[in-house]
Amino acid sequence: MNSFSSKAYWEQRYSENGNSGAGSYGRLASYKADILNAFIAFNRISSILELGCGDGNQLSLMTPVASYIGVDVSETTINNCRKKFPSGNYTFLKSGTIDKNTYADLVLSLDVIFHLVEDDIFKKYMNDLFHHSKKYVIIYSSNVDAEWPATHVRHRNITKFAREHIIGWTLKAYLPNKYPFDKSDQNNTSFSDFMIFSREDEPVFLSAV
């Protein structure tokens, strides 16, 4: 694991015409979009920052907002997303180039964290998620500390990390996946759940979620 680079893995994957994976397509993508679009509408979200935007297929199903910034480690996928979403409302940046004073109403992490196999990258990523948010953070990921046979996957206990290291934020909702992981049907099921955080003084409307 020590020699594995998540950044190199995803750049190679996208440069060889790979995509973001089954979670960003089909019924899993539709399920995620339903949850996110309801949240965006009921909480009047006008700006979104997504850390790990991937190939943009999930984004294509989301309600447009006044400002969207997508960040990814892969220069290939960033360039592809710029072509796919040419509107001025969409900005795409390579990881490490976003200004520390950039903030959004909602910061998203969708099927990303279990791909961060390196401890230092995981910790920085988690801190960035909450640092760049003005109001809400939504994480869609597994939530248990566990190894996995695939070299590009390592599961993390996110809620435990947040309790111990993230100050001033509250887990407001935990939504188990509508299609829980089934080893025999991995393209249509997922080990990811929704975790919705907000700043402690920020109300969250979840009645349509």
Side-chain angles (χ1 to χ4, degrees), residues 36-37 39-40 45-51 59 62-71 89-91 98 102-110 132 134 136:
L36 294 171
N37 289 339
F39 186 91
I40 289 167
I45 301 299
S46 62
S47 57
I48 292 175
L49 170 63
E50 184 173 6
L51 298 184
L59 174 59
M62 286 170 49
T63 302
V65 293
S67 172
Y68 170 91
I69 301 174
V71 180
N89 290 357
Y90 294 90
T91 302
I98 186 170
T102 296
Y103 303 101
D105 293 340
L106 170 62
V107 176
L108 293 176
S109 172
L110 307 176
H132 288 290
K134 292 188 289 186
Y136 310 112

Side-chain angles (χ1 to χ4, degrees), residues 168-185:
W169 289 81
T170 301
L171 177 66
K172 292 296 180 69
Y174 191 103
L175 309 178
N177 203 298
K178 182 178 180 180
Y179 307 107
F181 183 70
D182 181 346
K183 189 176 181 179
S184 66
D185 189 16

